[in-house]
Structure formats: C-alpha cells, structure tokens
Amino acid sequence: MRALAVLAVMGFHEGVSELSGGFLGVDVFFVLSGFLITDLLVSHYDRRGRLDLKDFWSRRARRLLPALALMLIVVTAVATVIEPAQGNSLRLALLAAVTYTSNWYQILHHVSYFASLGLFTAPPPLDHLWSLAIEEQFYLIWPLILWLIIFRLNGRRARVTATLILAALSALAMALEYSPGDPSLVYYGTDTHASALLIGAAVALALPLATVASLPATQVRRLDAAGVVGLVLLAWAAGHFSGADPAVYPVGLILAAVGAAGLVVAAAGTGVIAAMTGLPPLRWLGIRSYGIYLWHWPVIALAGAIIGARANSAWMWFIEAAVSIGLACVSWQFVETPILRDGFLATCARWRVRVDEGLRPVTARRPVVPMVVAASALAAVAVAGYGVARSPGSAAPAGLLRQVAEGQRISAASQAQSTSGAQAQSTFGAQPNSGATSQATSPTGLTPTVVRPSASSPSSGSPSPTSACPSAARLPKVSGRQVTAIGDSVMVASAAALDAALPGIYIDAEVGRAMVNGLAVIQSLAARGELRHYVVVGLGTNGPVSAAQIRQLRRLIGPNRGLILINTFGPMPWESSVNGVLDAAARQMTHVSLADWHAAIAGHNGLLWPDGIHPQPSGARVYVRVVLAAIQAVLPHAPPPACYQAVSGPR
C-alpha cells in the first residue's frame, strides 16, 4: 500500500495528467498511519494496562528523524550551490521542518500546495513536508486522546464511535472553512485534515491486526471484496479529482480515506489483496516509501533549477524517480536501518571507529568508503551551514527585478486610488464614458493582434467583414476606469504598460498567484461591488486551470460583465492544458474573449527574460496589445473579429 501511495504522489508532482488526483496518496498514508499507530498503542495497553508514551515517542523519533536530518542537510547544501535565491525562504522552511510545523508555516506564508512557480525560481524544495508535520502532530496528540477514550469509554463500539465523531468534526471544519479560492488553508490544517488519520484509527479500534489475521475464510473473502472496492475507488479518485475541484473538500478526501480503509484492512488479512500488496517489488518499495517521499520532491524541484524546461519531459520523470529511489535506498541502508537496529549513539560510534581506522597510518590497505562518506558528510554540513548563515542573493536578472518592483508599485497604487463602484458600469450593455482616452491601439501605435471569437462575436446576418470594418480611428473606445485586471507575475511585469495604455485601470497582480488564489480575489471584489465592467484575468503560470474554475469565475463576475482570459506561455508542464481550457471557454461562453498571448509571443523569446516566462518591457507592450484587442472583442458594438489585423510578429 505504501508503494502505491508514494507512486501516486510522485506521479502527481511530476505532472502526469492521468494522476490529477494523485495527491490523494497522502491520505492513503494518513489512513495507514492512523491504523498502525492506534493498533500499536492499543495492543501495548492491552498487554501492560498502560500506555508507555515515552517509549512510543522515542521510537517514532528514531524512525523519522535520522532520514529527515540527512535529507535536510543534503538538500540545503545543494540548494545553496544551485539555487541561492531561495536562501531566506529556505531558512524559514528548515526551521518549520525541524519543528514539524511546516503545514502551519505554509498556511501563515500563503504557500499554495497547488501552485508551484514563483518569480524566476524553482519550486521550494521542502514544501512537501507539510504532511509529515501533520502526522507528527498526530503522533503527539492522538496518544493522549486515545488514552482518554480508553479510560472513559468501555467497549469497542463506543470507542470506534467516538473516534468517528472526531473524524466527522474534522471533515465538518474543512467544509466550513473551505473557500472557492485557494484550498491550501484547509488542506494544510491539522484540524481540518485529520479525518483520514482518525478513520484509520477507528478501523484499528474496530478490527485490530491480531483479529484480522485470524479471521475465517468467509470473513477474509469479505475483506477482499472491501479491498477491491477500495482500490477501484482510489484509482477513480486519483484520475477524476483535481486540487481545484471544490468537491474534494471534504467529500473527495473522505471517499479516498474510506477507500484506503477498505484496502488497509484487506491488506492486513490473509486473502488475495494481502498477497497482491505483499508482492516483493511492492514490499521493497513500501519499506523505503518514507525515504522516497522525503527525497522525491527536492529532486524534482532542484532538477527544475538545474536544467529548466527539460525537467518537464517524460524521460526526466523516470530519471528523477530513479534518483529519488536511489537516495532513499542509501538512506535506508546506511542511516535508517543501523539506527533502528542499534540506536543513534551506537551507530555514530561505529562510524567513528571506521573513520579512525581509515586515518591510521598503517601499511595495510585502509578502508576508503568510510573516509569518502565522512568527508562528504562534513562537506555537506559545511555548505548547508554556510547557506543558512549567509545573506541570500537573487537568481533573477536585475532588470526583471526592477520591472517587477515597478509593476508591484503600479498595482498597489491602482488599488489605492480605486473607488468602490462609482467608476464601474453595472450592466454589460452600458456605453463607455465619453471622456475615455484609451484606444484600441496602444500609445505606441502598435496594431492589435487577432483575437479568437467568443460565442458573443458577431456572426451571421452581418455584412461582410471588410465592408463592415470601420477605420482605425472609429474603433470603439474603452476607458481604463472600466477595467479590472487580476493576474500573476506576468501581469506584474506588464503592469506599467497596462497602466500607460489604460489609465485608471484597476490592477491586482501578484507573484506566484494561481487561479485558485485569483478566484478568492475576484470573489472579494465582487462581494464589495468593486468589479468593473470588463474583467481581465491572466492566471495560468503557476498551476493548472480547470473548466470548473472558469465556470466558477464566470459565475463570480456575473453575466453582464465582459471576461477577457489571457492564456499562458512558458516551460510549464500544464501550459497546453491551461490554454486548451481557456480557448474552449472563449469559444463556448458569451461575453468571453481570449487574449492569445501564447500566439503573440511564441517564436519571439528575445522579448522575454531568460526564464522564458516574463516579458521584457518590449514584450510587455505586446502583452498589452493582445489584451486591448481582446477587450475590443467583447464591446457591445464591436466590429467583426476580422477587423482586427493580425501582426506578423511583435514590433
């Protein structure tokens, strides 16, 4: 089971499209951990009449801490060398990791689980430790609660019921706290994401391992049936759900936990499912699954920092998986197993003896491996210490940093100067203000690019496009005071050009923002009545976008506003899927147009900064031209789309 769960999580983090719900593998781990820990504690209580919490916690520390420490040292050392810009955030993440509070750190710092790109940096290499933090907090708190349940409640049924009530309360908290924006708050929270752990604990109270192992054949067949149902349910959920799906919180997570519970019980028995999950390859991976989970995300993140866009290719997925498994094997063989068998102090003493033997000046051949390992360990510790102690630099070019800083200033100024609803039109059919000064062409005189027509574009019954086209001077005008723009770092880099072309535009753009975050911003503006007549949305750089999110966006802005969707360009694995979703929305929805940034900038990488994502000032003017043309396409009396001349290339 551990093998299947860790492979699902790895596939999700690698961006395998068939595993959009692979993150549910974490909940399989949660159910399994809740089951095994509770069974261990209860069996210990039944034998001795008490819970030896000191022994339990020390065993957990011996199992978890050595592998974690090794990974943190190595990853910090490597990140110091190849990704120095992450120094400041890495220090905070390290502090959260060693205190097992990564989930709360990521909540407080608004780190989205479903958005992975920032400004010119690879994904943070320690973002996956939130789940280990939840588990460790469970290990600290649950034994005390379990002792209270055992002490106060007599009978298995009462104890199972009490545990399931706690699981239901956690799921209820998730449902109540969930908002359609970024679900990371409820996904990271120990209180809101404890239901899977508690479901596993309830199963252990209902069916202890000793009981499951001694069931008669008829009961074993029932367990196998439950296991098959659980496996099918998990496979369906892994391929059906996505992180942006509101049904996941908590329904999808509960379904995954229930499916995992059925599979756990069947795997603990003596039937067919137990034989399948006990196959040697799966068992081998399962034993090392903790180490594989520890290493896989840092390998993915750091590989992206080293080789860039090529890290998204399929052949790199297999290389990254092989490296992760290899590192986990080394950790298991030389760190975890010796410490589990002999203890930390005895293992350190043995290594010290071997190093001393290597340093001894004797004529016989000295052991080389201990010397190499010791030297490598000292070097890693030294580099990691330097990385933590030194002042961090930045990997982004100075010009991009200045451009982004200026964009952030303009974005903040536009929000400060905005008034609530007086400057926005309330219905789609209203005419632009007579004093509007922004034209369909940018101040530089650049011609708009061609825009994909939406369902609302003029079609049959109109004169031929050429005869119906007005002159450029007579194209409809729109004021910046009619436009709300919500975006990510690409829009931040283009904010100065947007403000110049559309004076008075409201810009709310932020580095690292994904669609899930942008929906929360739009919902807040809509609730305050501050959304303007035309809503421009440029979100897709930092994570996938689903059709359900676009439908939600359409509902949030209302039927009488024009929606302009800017597609994305860059070395992200979800680029094509995001652009496909946006293109379909522009074709199928009314009052929606597509600003085809991808088509406008493709083949003109000289207008982008070296990351291949963010536009330089000249590229920002192309970005604005695309947006202006898309706004023209949703004007109430816009000419046919053919009137907007195509450009042969950015000028």
Side-chain angles (χ1 to χ4, degrees), residues 410-591:
I410 290 172
S411 177
S414 76
Q415 295 171 48
Q417 294 171 2
S418 174
T419 57
S420 58
Q423 297 167 329
Q425 300 290 337
S426 59
T427 59
F428 184 81
Q431 297 297 315
N433 293 335
S434 59
T437 58
S438 300
Q439 300 186 12
T441 53
S442 70
T444 60
L446 298 175
T447 311
T449 189
V450 121
V451 180
R452 308 275 181 88
S454 73
S456 61
S457 300
S459 54
S460 59
S462 302
S464 68
T466 16
S467 63
C469 288
S471 66
R474 294 172 53 206
L475 283 174
K477 298 177 182 180
V478 63
S479 166
R481 297 187 182 278
Q482 296 174 285
V483 180
T484 296
I486 309 296
D488 51 32
S489 56
V490 176
M491 185 177 287
V492 173
S494 306
L498 277 172
D499 186 62
L502 293 168
I505 185 176
Y506 180 97
I507 303 173
D508 188 335
E510 186 176 286
V511 173
R513 177 178 285 165
M515 180 62 78
V516 288
N517 312 99
L519 288 173
V521 174
I522 292 168
Q523 183 181 39
S524 176
L525 290 172
R528 300 198 306 266
E530 296 179 8
L531 274 182
R532 297 182 177 182
H533 196 63
Y534 304 101
V535 180
V536 179
V537 177
L539 298 165
T541 305
N542 298 294
V545 175
S546 68
Q549 286 179 310
I550 301 301
R551 290 193 296 270
Q552 181 183 356
L553 173 62
R554 177 75 263 184
R555 288 194 300 270
L556 286 174
I557 71 169
N560 295 323
R561 288 187 175 90
L563 174 61
I564 294 87
L565 299 171
I566 309 173
N567 64 12
T568 190
F569 180 87
M572 299 85 68
W574 50 79
E575 180 208 67
S576 60
S577 65
V578 167
N579 291 346
V581 168
L582 301 185
D583 182 71
R587 293 180 184 278
Q588 297 166 9
M589 294 181 176
T590 58
H591 306 324

Side-chain angles (χ1 to χ4, degrees), residues 177-560:
E177 293 183 28
Y178 170 77
S179 65
D182 188 356
S184 297
L185 172 64
V186 294
Y187 193 68
Y188 288 143
T190 307
D191 53 338
T192 53
H193 204 156
S195 54
L197 287 157
L198 292 166
I199 287 173
V203 172
L205 290 170
L207 291 169
L209 273 173
T211 301
V212 174
S214 59
L215 288 174
T218 54
Q219 297 289 346
V220 170
R221 285 193 291 271
R222 292 178 184 175
L223 291 185
D224 278 340
V228 170
V229 172
L231 188 60
V232 171
L233 185 59
L234 286 171
W236 174 82
H240 176 78
F241 288 121
S242 71
D245 192 340
V248 170
Y249 315 97
V251 176
L253 297 177
I254 294 298
L255 285 176
V258 171
L263 190 56
V264 164
V265 174
T270 58
V272 176
I273 295 295
M276 290 174 55
T277 55
L279 290 172
L282 293 179
R283 184 173 179 80
W284 188 89
L285 281 175
I287 290 172
R288 294 158 181 80
S289 60
Y290 173 59
I292 295 172
Y293 183 83
L294 281 178
W295 287 103
H296 86 281
W297 179 248
V299 168
I300 292 171
L302 295 173
I306 295 171
I307 64 176
R310 289 175 295 171
N312 297 321
S313 61
W315 63 272
M316 273 303 300
W317 299 347
F318 292 104
I319 293 176
E320 289 165 357
V323 171
S324 302
I325 294 171
L327 290 169
C329 288
V330 171
S331 174
W332 174 256
Q333 182 69 30
F334 297 105
V335 177
E336 298 170 66
T337 299
I339 291 175
L340 284 172
R341 183 184 61 233
D342 305 321
F344 179 74
L345 295 178
T347 302
C348 289
R350 184 180 299 109
W351 274 104
R352 187 177 64 250
V353 169
R354 291 182 180 178
V355 172
D356 290 342
E357 291 175 352
L359 293 173
R360 193 174 302 159
V362 294
T363 56
R365 186 174 60 183
R366 294 179 296 180
V368 176
V369 173
M371 287 295 301
V372 173
V373 171
S376 301
L378 289 174
V381 170
V383 174
Y386 168 75
V388 171
R390 75 178 182 86
S391 176
S394 174
L400 174 56
L401 293 178
R402 287 193 297 269
Q403 188 175 332
V404 167
E406 175 67 7
Q408 290 170 328
R409 185 193 67 77
I410 290 172
S411 177
S414 76
Q415 295 171 48
Q417 294 171 2
S418 174
T419 57
S420 58
Q423 297 167 329
Q425 300 290 337
S426 59
T427 59
F428 184 81
Q431 297 297 315
N433 293 335
S434 59
T437 58
S438 300
Q439 300 186 12
T441 53
S442 70
T444 60
L446 298 175
T447 311
T449 189
V450 121
V451 180
R452 308 275 181 88
S454 73
S456 61
S457 300
S459 54
S460 59
S462 302
S464 68
T466 16
S467 63
C469 288
S471 66
R474 294 172 53 206
L475 283 174
K477 298 177 182 180
V478 63
S479 166
R481 297 187 182 278
Q482 296 174 285
V483 180
T484 296
I486 309 296
D488 51 32
S489 56
V490 176
M491 185 177 287
V492 173
S494 306
L498 277 172
D499 186 62
L502 293 168
I505 185 176
Y506 180 97
I507 303 173
D508 188 335
E510 186 176 286
V511 173
R513 177 178 285 165
M515 180 62 78
V516 288
N517 312 99
L519 288 173
V521 174
I522 292 168
Q523 183 181 39
S524 176
L525 290 172
R528 300 198 306 266
E530 296 179 8
L531 274 182
R532 297 182 177 182
H533 196 63
Y534 304 101
V535 180
V536 179
V537 177
L539 298 165
T541 305
N542 298 294
V545 175
S546 68
Q549 286 179 310
I550 301 301
R551 290 193 296 270
Q552 181 183 356
L553 173 62
R554 177 75 263 184
R555 288 194 300 270
L556 286 174
I557 71 169
N560 295 323

Side-chain angles (χ1 to χ4, degrees), residues 618-637:
S618 54
R621 290 193 290 272
V622 176
Y623 182 92
V624 170
R625 186 167 73 245
V626 170
V627 171
L628 288 172
I631 293 175
Q632 291 289 334
V634 293
L635 289 176
H637 303 293

